[in-house]
Amino acid sequence: MTSAPQPAPTRPTSRDVARAAGVSQATVSLVLGGKWPGRVSEATAERVRRAAHGLGYRPNLAARNLRLGSTRTALLVVPALTNEFFARVYTGAAEVAAEHGFGVVLYPSPDGTGPARDPFASASASLDGVIASSMAAGALDALRGAGLPLVMLDSDPADTGVAARVNLDIADGMRQVAEHLLALGHRRFVHLASAVDSWTFAVRGRALHDTLRSVPGTCVRTVTAALDVHAGRVAAEHALAAPGPRPTALVCDDDILAAGACKAARRLGLRVPDDLSVTGFDDLALATAVEPELTTVRLPAEQVGKRGMSALLAVLDDRPAETGSLPVHLVARGSSAPPPADAPPA
């Protein structure tokens, strides 16, 4: 004889928590929703939390969000998933989001830095806000049309219609690179520039050229390459094999391009840094995987993500977001050194 199936245990409700804590359901909602300070004593709040924990109570977030008209979800739009920088930005954003009961959906724009399509039937029905890293505000028009607050990371300050912005001091980072190489004695440079048309790379190029132009006797030539190691190698080979005095330093817009430049030097029989100094930008894991390790600029990617998510939360709460660019700093490693003693002047 088989026994009758046992009914599934019922899920504890806020009424059960209220009864166990000896308070009203409204008080339970205030405490578990984080709205209790100034309304409920700390002792009462702790009693509610203990009761909820003892009962294994979990708020019905779907019902609460429907009631509040909020999904507690942010969309993070990035140009690509293959770049470590954006993975670190996501890590920082997700950490802050989790502390506030939010989730972050990571969305790579199908066209890189180009126009990003709405990944949902209606973003406004699925999201509370959008964070976009290293993209033009105009590329987010499809998402901005949903009326969602937009926080831009590493983007052009001239873009309008943005709820908040978090930038790195990119220009100062490239100035630090240029001043480091000038102090070592370099005067002939090649700028290996990213072919990606974005604000962050444009700023790097302008800062480098402005800094070098201020020092008499320097010359710099720019060559562009797609943002991958192979393209960086090919472009660097052409630049190093060009007629005329060889450059003594290759300044690269990114560590990926710098890795390609190092490969180019080896193929041409040049030693880094004895014959040629190479610098990168970003301080990806790749920077310490190559030999010699790359002199580069460290970008606090996780902090960018944290600041971006905090800015979105501030906008949603009608609070001012934190302002000011995040500092970056040069990390000098083995790929940069004084130019060869026999190097002719620029």
Side-chain angles (χ1 to χ4, degrees), residues 101-179:
F102 266 70
V104 178
V105 177
L106 182 61
Y107 176 52
S109 174
D111 299 307
T113 57
R117 298 187 290 273
D118 185 344
F120 305 97
S122 172
S124 61
S126 310
L127 304 167
D128 284 335
V130 178
I131 306 170
S133 180
S134 309
M135 298 183 69
L140 281 299
D141 285 346
L143 292 166
R144 294 173 74 183
L148 296 168
L150 173 62
V151 175
M152 298 294 292
L153 315 178
D154 189 29
S155 63
D156 190 348
D159 283 341
T160 59
V162 175
R165 189 184 312 279
V166 177
N167 269 346
L168 295 149
D169 198 344
I170 294 294
D172 183 59
M174 192 55 93
R175 282 192 293 267
Q176 291 180 51
V177 170
E179 290 168 358

Side-chain angles (χ1 to χ4, degrees), residues 84 255 259 266 283-294 333:
E84 175 194 334
D255 294 341
R266 283 194 298 273
D283 199 24
L284 306 177
L286 178 64
T288 54
V290 298
E291 186 61 42
E293 295 183 352
L294 281 175
R333 297 193 181 103

Side-chain angles (χ1 to χ4, degrees), residues 325-338:
S325 296
L326 291 167
V328 304
H329 68 273
L330 179 77
V331 181
R333 297 193 181 103
S335 70
S336 59

Side-chain angles (χ1 to χ4, degrees), residues 61-86:
L61 293 179
R64 185 183 70 178
N65 292 343
L66 181 63
R67 184 174 66 254
L68 297 177
S70 167
T71 65
R72 303 190 75 77
T73 303
L75 183 72
L76 173 61
V77 185
V78 299
L81 291 179
T82 53
N83 191 306
E84 175 194 334
F85 175 81
F86 300 119

Side-chain angles (χ1 to χ4, degrees), residues 252-346:
C252 304
D253 268 356
D254 180 274
D255 294 341
I256 296 170
L257 293 177
C262 290
K263 293 187 73 170
R266 283 194 298 273
R267 288 190 174 214
L268 295 172
L270 301 174
R271 297 166 299 167
V272 177
D274 299 334
D275 302 313
L276 178 74
S277 287
V278 177
T279 63
F281 210 98
D282 289 357
D283 199 24
L284 306 177
L286 178 64
T288 54
V290 298
E291 186 61 42
E293 295 183 352
L294 281 175
T295 292
T296 187
V297 174
R298 179 169 297 161
L299 305 183
E302 290 91 347
Q303 189 62 31
V304 173
K306 289 180 179 180
R307 178 85 73 86
M309 188 66 214
S310 296
L312 179 58
L313 292 170
V315 170
L316 293 173
D317 288 342
D318 292 322
R319 293 183 287 107
E322 187 176 355
T323 59
S325 296
L326 291 167
V328 304
H329 68 273
L330 179 77
V331 181
R333 297 193 181 103
S335 70
S336 59
D342 59 353

